[in-house]
Amino acid sequence: QVQLTESGGDSVQAGGNLRLSCEASTYYYGGYCMGWLRKVPGKDREGVAAIYSGGETAYYADAVRGRFTISQDSAKSTLYLQMNNLKPEDTAMYTCAAVFGVCDDTWAERLRQGYWGQGTQVTVSS
């Protein structure tokens, strides 16, 4: 079982920046599509971004493209989400997720069906 531990969530003003981190079980880091999901009460969990642990191609939701950047440090088995120019609508519980295999255009749905961490709360005030 893949174990994922997130950190970095906080409360910020609109326009601010945050970086989320997700530490994965070292043994399982290779060969997985890794990414971030977010959940707002009353709404479906949505995909934010994804990247294959063995590659560089990144995938983003339209709502965050150009503001968020997903990256990884394979040596540390750690996934990051740099969030810039945060907006109140970015307020959510952010969850790190992993699913075996490469990322493709179905990354969001596949991550929803994969392994999740406990989540870290991001709150953006106007």
Side-chain angles (χ1 to χ4, degrees):
Q1 182 175 349
V2 179
Q3 293 182 323
L4 304 167
T5 305
E6 305 95 334
S7 62
D10 205 344
S11 296
V12 298
Q13 296 274 339
N17 305 327
L18 281 175
R19 188 176 80 157
L20 305 183
S21 299
C22 170
E23 186 173 349
S25 305
T26 303
Y27 180 80
Y28 290 103
Y29 194 77
Y32 279 77
C33 178
M34 307 290 296
W36 295 91
L37 305 170
R38 66 185 183 184
K39 180 72 168 69
V40 176
K43 295 186 178 181
D44 292 336
R45 193 178 306 272
E46 65 174 350
V48 177
I51 189 168
Y52 178 53
S53 62
E56 297 181 355
T57 301
Y59 298 79
Y60 295 97
D62 290 341
V64 307
R65 187 176 289 111
R67 298 188 297 121
F68 291 11
T69 302
I70 190 170
S71 63
Q72 60 188 335
D73 185 335
S74 298
K76 297 181 179 179
S77 299
T78 301
L79 183 74
Y80 303 100
L81 184 69
Q82 178 66 43
M83 304 186 296
N84 296 335
N85 189 24
L86 282 159
K87 303 177 180 180
E89 52 263 42
D90 294 319
T91 296
M93 177 68 75
Y94 284 72
T95 302
C96 181
V99 62
F100 186 72
V102 299
C103 298
D104 58 24
D105 289 341
T106 65
W107 59 272
E109 180 58 30
R110 293 182 62 227
L111 287 177
R112 281 193 287 266
Q113 298 177 15
Y115 298 102
W116 298 353
Q118 293 297 312
T120 186
Q121 179 67 36
V122 172
T123 302
V124 185
S125 58
S126 57

